[in-house]
Structures are given as structure tokens and as C-alpha cells.
Amino acid sequence: MPLRSSYSDQLKQNDQNLIALLSDRLSLLAASELPCLEEQLADMAQELAQAGIPESVWVSVVNGCHATLTPEPSSVNHVKSRQITIIGGHGRMGRLFREQLSAVGHNVSVLESEDWDDANQLLNQAELVLVSVPIEQTVDVIKRAAKYLSPITALCDITSIKTQPTQAMLEHHFGPVMGLHPMFGPNIKSFLGQKVVVCPGRNDDSFQWLLDFIKSQGGELVVSTPEEHDQMMVIIQATQHFCRFSLGVFLAQAKIDIDRSLTMSTPSYRQEIDILKRLFSQNPHLCVDIMLATENRCQAINSLANTFSRLARLVTTKDRAALLQEFETTQSFFSSSQAQPTV
């Protein structure tokens, strides 16, 4: 039903006020050092809930303001076009990097499994070789590719584990080496608001143009050693994938009517279902390989499963005191953390 005139006028006035506030917000951001998206998204969950505003609306506002103030790729980082070869460039993540780099004028070639007869041509003249293949193939591909590389070629991988690939690159290639881990999936449109973990290896300056490009599109670079990265990914990726994989399997086995459940859901439940849908829309090999990538990941998942079992027994026996103790102990752990809840 169309809005009556009085309501339409009121809505128009509210929109004008909102536009003025957005203008003020952009001015404040422009006058600052453009805080990272996490800072801008933090500490608003309670206010949003009290106002009845979905978190997704606030995220869209923050992302939109951030994008407005982020320099266009066409205006930065184009001193020269570079020759790049992506091994696995037809895969989803490889294709994303190929599209992003090509869009700003770089000459990007692709080497797939059927192209190794042309490896000398595709790899020897490249300024950057980017390895984007499944986890279990990465080290073997690095060893194979290194035979064709010029000593000045920069070699980089974007696999979700870093210790073994970085060691392999340093051992088999004597030129510049760096490990990257994009902390996002291949469905994004740009690097805006996305984290990329950077594991320096050798001759970091050779990669500065690539890092500057990611930053110019609004990406956030997080420097780490390969060992620290892999320790963190046990929790950030492997156990999280297992939790959501398990929940998805449970919902499917129970034949839950997801659409119906969403009609009476909380914001956090809707968010979790969105995450599950994204997870199960991916290539199943990717999800499984992330969980099985290292022995540490497998051990951590087993330990997590044991925790689930222990807590489930407390629920089954209705041991309220023990559950409260578990909660309070964990509450103390999180209260000592400096990290604050985000939307």
C-alpha cells in the first residue's frame, strides 16, 4: 500500500536527516586515517539490537562509507604493467586474483595441469608467479615450478597453510619468496574490508607493489610468521569449519525446515544459517581439506569433539552445577581478553 502523503513527507525528512549524518560520517572518516573496518564495526551490537536494526544494514553502511573513501584502483599502483603467471588461475581463488590484477592493467597468464609443456615460457619470464592450487598439491607444484623460474622471479602462494609451502619455496627457489593467505572466499568482488595474512620469506621488497595494490583496494594486511599463522588457523579455520560442518550435518539429518525456522529466528541464528549456506555452497573438497590439512588440525578437532562429548554428558545427566561451573570458568577466560564483541 502506498504511503499516505503525511507519512511520505515524514519519511523524506528522515532520509534528508540520514543523508546529512552520512555526510558528517564521511567527513570525519576523511579527516582521520580511515580506521579499519573492524574498528568501525565494533561495539555497535547492543545499540543495533535496542534500535531493532539488523546488523547487515549497519555493515552495509560502514562498507559503503569505507568504499567511498578508498582510492579507485585505477588511480594508484600503476607505475608499470607486470607479467604475472598464476598456477591454478582457472580455479575460483586463482580466477579472483587473475580478474583483480588484470583489471588494473597487469598481464596475467594461467598455468594449469595441462600446460606444463609451456612452463618455461609461462614461468621463466614472469615477474610474479602465484601458486593457487589445492592444499595437498601445493608443495609438489612449488617444487615443479621452481625449476623454471628466473632468479629474480617473485614466488608466492595463497594456500591456507603456510609453514610447509614457505619452506618449500625458500628451499627450491633462490629468488624472492612470500606466503599469503587471503582470509576470505572467492565470491568477493574486491579486497575491500578483507584481511590478507602476509608471511615474509625473502626479498620482501619485490612484493611491495602487490601488497600496495591489495591495500589500495581497502584490504588489510596482517604480518605473521608461517608458524604463528598455522597455529592460529587451527582455531580460526579448522575447528570453526568442523563446528559448522557438524551443525549442518545435524540439521540435514534432523530434516529441519530451515525456511520455517528463519521466520521465527533471532539475528544470530539467521547469521549462522547464512554462514552454513555459504559453507555448503563451496566445493566439498575445499572444506574437507581445510580440516585435514595438518596433523595439528586433526588433533585439535578431536580435542574439540571430546569437549562436545563431555559437555553433552553433563546436559544428559542434567548436571546444572557442573554446567554453571564450565560457563563461569570460560566467562572468566573471555573477560580477561582485550578483544571486544563486534557485529
Side-chain angles (χ1 to χ4, degrees):
M1 177 183 294
L3 289 171
R4 289 179 294 175
S5 177
S6 60
Y7 286 105
S8 180
D9 291 342
Q10 184 179 356
L11 181 61
K12 183 176 181 179
Q13 182 61 54
N14 285 342
D15 288 346
Q16 289 172 344
N17 293 338
L18 180 58
I19 290 170
L21 289 171
L22 287 173
S23 177
D24 289 343
R25 189 176 199 279
L26 287 170
S27 297
L28 288 170
L29 286 173
S32 69
E33 296 183 357
L34 195 58
C36 70
L37 287 180
E38 277 196 353
E39 293 180 69
Q40 298 179 52
L41 293 172
D43 301 328
M44 288 297 172
Q46 183 175 352
E47 288 83 351
L48 291 168
Q50 290 174 346
I53 299 173
E55 295 174 356
S56 59
V57 173
W58 176 244
V59 171
S60 296
V61 169
V62 172
N63 281 337
C65 291
H66 194 90
T68 299
L69 296 174
T70 301
E72 290 293 329
S74 58
S75 66
V76 294
N77 198 40
H78 300 304
V79 176
K80 70 172 185 176
S81 175
R82 299 176 185 270
Q83 186 68 40
I84 301 167
T85 295
I86 300 180
I87 303 178
H90 290 322
R92 296 180 69 195
M93 187 62 78
R95 185 165 62 248
L96 169 66
F97 272 79
R98 174 166 56 88
E99 291 170 351
Q100 296 294 319
L101 291 165
S102 297
V104 295
H106 296 300
N107 186 6
V108 184
S109 301
V110 171
L111 189 155
E112 292 291 346
S113 57
E114 65 271 16
D115 301 320
W116 283 98
D117 288 344
D118 301 318
N120 190 59
Q121 176 185 349
L122 290 169
L123 299 177
N124 185 258
Q125 301 302 314
E127 295 178 65
L128 170 69
V129 169
L130 191 68
V131 178
S132 177
V133 298
I135 294 172
E136 71 276 7
Q137 300 175 20
T138 300
V139 170
D140 288 340
V141 167
I142 288 169
K143 293 178 181 179
R144 188 175 185 182
K147 301 173 184 177
Y148 299 95
L149 299 181
S150 162
I152 62 173
T153 298
L155 178 62
C156 180
D157 85 297
I158 55 172
T159 317
S160 61
I161 59 172
K162 294 270 71 78
T163 302
Q164 292 178 339
T166 303
Q167 289 175 346
M169 289 189 289
L170 289 169
E171 180 179 349
H172 295 278
H173 177 52
F174 298 103
V177 164
M178 179 172 284
L180 297 181
H181 182 192
M183 299 305 299
F184 48 83
N187 295 325
I188 66 165
K189 301 302 181 183
S190 77
F191 296 120
L192 176 64
Q194 305 296 337
K195 293 180 184 290
V196 178
V197 179
V198 178
C199 296
R202 182 191 299 127
N203 299 345
D204 298 344
D205 289 347
S206 297
F207 298 91
Q208 194 59 51
W209 66 269
L210 176 62
L211 302 181
D212 287 344
F213 165 68
I214 294 172
K215 289 169 62 178
S216 76
Q217 287 207 327
E220 179 184 353
L221 304 177
V222 182
V223 179
S224 168
T225 65
E227 294 76 15
E228 182 195 29
H229 166 276
D230 287 355
Q231 290 172 358
M232 290 295 182
M233 289 308 118
V234 169
I235 303 303
I236 294 170
Q237 278 198 321
T239 57
Q240 288 300 298
H241 269 63
F242 178 75
C243 287
R244 286 162 179 157
F245 177 78
S246 301
L247 179 57
V249 170
F250 168 77
L251 294 174
Q253 287 180 340
K255 294 182 171 55
I256 301 299
D257 186 338
I258 298 297
D259 291 336
R260 179 58 178 164
S261 73
L262 290 172
T263 65
M264 56 185 80
S265 62
T266 61
S268 59
Y269 177 80
R270 291 194 295 273
Q271 185 179 46
E272 187 63 31
I273 292 299
D274 284 342
I275 294 172
L276 289 177
K277 286 183 175 180
R278 288 198 297 272
L279 174 66
F280 286 97
S281 69
Q282 296 177 8
N283 184 323
H285 296 279
L286 176 62
C287 176
V288 172
D289 289 346
I290 284 174
M291 292 188 289
L292 302 182
T294 67
E295 185 60 31
N296 284 343
R297 294 186 179 199
C298 295
Q299 291 175 359
I301 288 172
N302 183 63
S303 178
L304 176 63
N306 290 337
T307 301
F308 284 159
S309 296
R310 177 171 59 82
L311 295 177
R313 285 194 295 271
L314 296 180
V315 171
T316 301
T317 59
K318 296 182 172 57
D319 192 338
R320 188 172 186 273
L323 288 167
L324 285 171
Q325 182 61 54
E326 293 282 357
F327 188 96
E328 290 167 357
T329 300
T330 307
Q331 187 178 53
S332 176
F333 168 79
F334 278 102
S335 66
S336 66
S337 171
Q338 295 182 356
Q340 297 298 315
T342 60
V343 297

